[in-house]
Amino acid sequence: MSGRLVHVGSAVVDYVYRIDTLPAAGAEKTASAYARVAGGGFNMMAAASRTGMKVVFGGQLGTGPDGDFLRAAFAAEGIETLTPPLPLMDSGNCVAMISGDAERTFVSWPGAESRLTPDMMKPVQVVSGDWVFTSGYTLSYPGSRDALAGWIEALPAGIPFVFDPTPVIADIPRPILDRVLARTTWLSCNTNEAAEIAGAGDAQTVAIRLLAEHCPSAEGVVIRAGARGCLVRMADGGTRAVPGFEVEAVDTNGAGDTHIGAFVSGLSRGMSACEAARYANAAAALSVTRHGGSSAPTDTEIQEFLTERGEAMTAPGRADATAT
């Protein structure tokens, strides 16, 4: 596998509470379980790292208990941090409530990841073969969006840039969003985010509009549809619906991040877009059978899962004829 994943998004600490149902207004619930875990962009980075890709982090971590917690989590995954800690500010956090139907509700508090200047980005240098990724969260913060958008626009032409707008897409000023989309090589988003950018319609129609009107430099777009899988639309006009896998979900937190991390990892080692999407669907399916946002599987686990489902990949980047 060549190149690194250079992640210039956000990482936060998730405080995860498991409850049967969300409490009514003014009511109180007692959680059945609690965990403190690395979250946000960490989930995507973990998915790429566990499938064999070298990952480095070019975003901001804070100085304090949450920043220290994230640095330890990065070190455990072998993820190098390229930037020094932001003084006098801790990393942000997110309270995640996971209900009995495996759905989740979030409340976030921004920290160091919401601050970015061109000087802070100077240690983040890309080289030939690297892949760059960011999410909408860093672009939604007033204190980081301009610096990050400018840095993305200045990327060398041969560096692939992958963008996930995330559910906070409505908080990204449209001029900033347009600048980032114009430099995007691969856009991965869910159906709601795709419609927020390009308007309502069926997935194929929206994907066509995304490429024609919003992502002029993109090789393709991926529109994720949860358990149903995803749709891949290529700039050359090819479209493929890649079905998901039926599993017993216990926690959907981080499934989209796992999908993107596995997809980029697959592309980086020479898989076609549809092969990488099938690989990512399998990774996301495995992740929702486990508790925790950073529940991404390893490459070996994904290959075993695909073999069990009769969709084994015969060699890196080559799918068996039965899996087309």
Side-chain angles (χ1 to χ4, degrees):
M1 184 181 298
S2 62
R4 308 172 298 173
L5 171 66
V6 182
H7 193 295
V8 289
S10 304
V12 299
V13 175
D14 285 346
Y15 294 85
V16 183
Y17 298 83
R18 300 193 177 281
I19 52 180
D20 53 355
T21 58
L22 291 176
E28 182 176 341
K29 284 274 187 179
T30 299
S32 61
Y34 161 79
R36 182 188 186 210
V37 297
F42 177 80
N43 300 330
M44 187 273 188
M45 288 184 276
S49 178
R50 292 173 191 176
T51 51
M53 198 172 187
K54 173 67 175 176
V55 180
V56 296
F57 180 63
Q60 284 294 305
L61 298 179
T63 302
D66 283 343
D68 292 343
F69 185 86
L70 288 169
R71 273 183 287 276
F74 281 24
E77 291 285 344
I79 299 170
E80 178 187 358
T81 301
L82 302 178
T83 55
L86 185 67
L88 305 179
M89 178 176 282
D90 203 356
S91 290
N93 61 71
C94 175
V95 173
M97 293 177 285
I98 313 297
S99 53
D101 58 0
E103 288 301 326
R104 66 270 197 231
T105 301
F106 302 114
V107 178
S108 297
W109 173 255
E113 71 283 354
S114 67
R115 305 292 180 90
L116 203 62
T117 67
D119 282 345
M120 291 178 184
M121 295 294 292
K122 285 182 178 178
V124 187
Q125 301 292 324
V126 298
V127 297
S128 178
D130 283 348
W131 292 68
V132 174
F133 171 86
T134 201
S135 77
Y137 286 103
T138 312
L139 294 168
S140 73
Y141 301 133
S144 60
R145 60 173 63 124
D146 289 308
L148 182 57
W151 186 87
I152 290 168
E153 287 177 316
L155 283 171
I159 299 294
F161 169 62
V162 183
F163 178 49
D164 172 19
T166 75
V168 300
I169 184 172
D171 297 329
I172 305 172
R174 194 66 191 218
I176 293 287
L177 180 63
D178 288 343
R179 288 168 61 190
V180 172
L181 289 172
R183 178 57 182 83
T184 295
T185 311
W186 279 97
L187 176 69
S188 177
C189 55
N190 66 28
T191 53
N192 291 336
E193 295 153 7
E196 180 72 25
I197 297 171
D202 63 85
Q204 179 167 324
T205 299
V206 173
I208 291 170
R209 287 204 299 264
L210 284 169
L211 286 168
E213 301 172 15
H214 302 280
C215 304
S217 302
E219 294 181 15
V221 300
V222 178
I223 300 181
R224 308 185 309 271
R228 297 193 303 277
C230 63
L231 180 135
V232 178
R233 174 75 183 188
M234 304 295 295
D236 64 9
T239 304
R240 174 81 175 274
V242 184
F245 298 92
E246 186 175 343
V247 294
E248 188 68 32
V250 298
D251 185 350
T252 59
N253 189 22
D257 297 318
T258 295
H259 193 281
I260 300 168
F263 180 74
V264 175
S265 178
L267 289 179
S268 75
R269 67 180 108 163
M271 292 184 192
S272 72
C274 290
E275 289 169 346
R278 182 185 298 108
Y279 184 81
N281 285 353
L286 280 167
S287 78
V288 303
T289 66
R290 305 167 177 179
H291 291 294
S294 55
S295 55
T298 64
D299 176 71
T300 298
E301 290 172 325
I302 296 170
Q303 299 292 0
E304 290 175 350
F305 178 86
L306 288 168
T307 297
E308 291 169 0
R309 300 299 177 107
E311 299 195 23
M313 305 187 84
T314 58
R318 297 293 181 186
D320 182 27
T322 60
T324 59

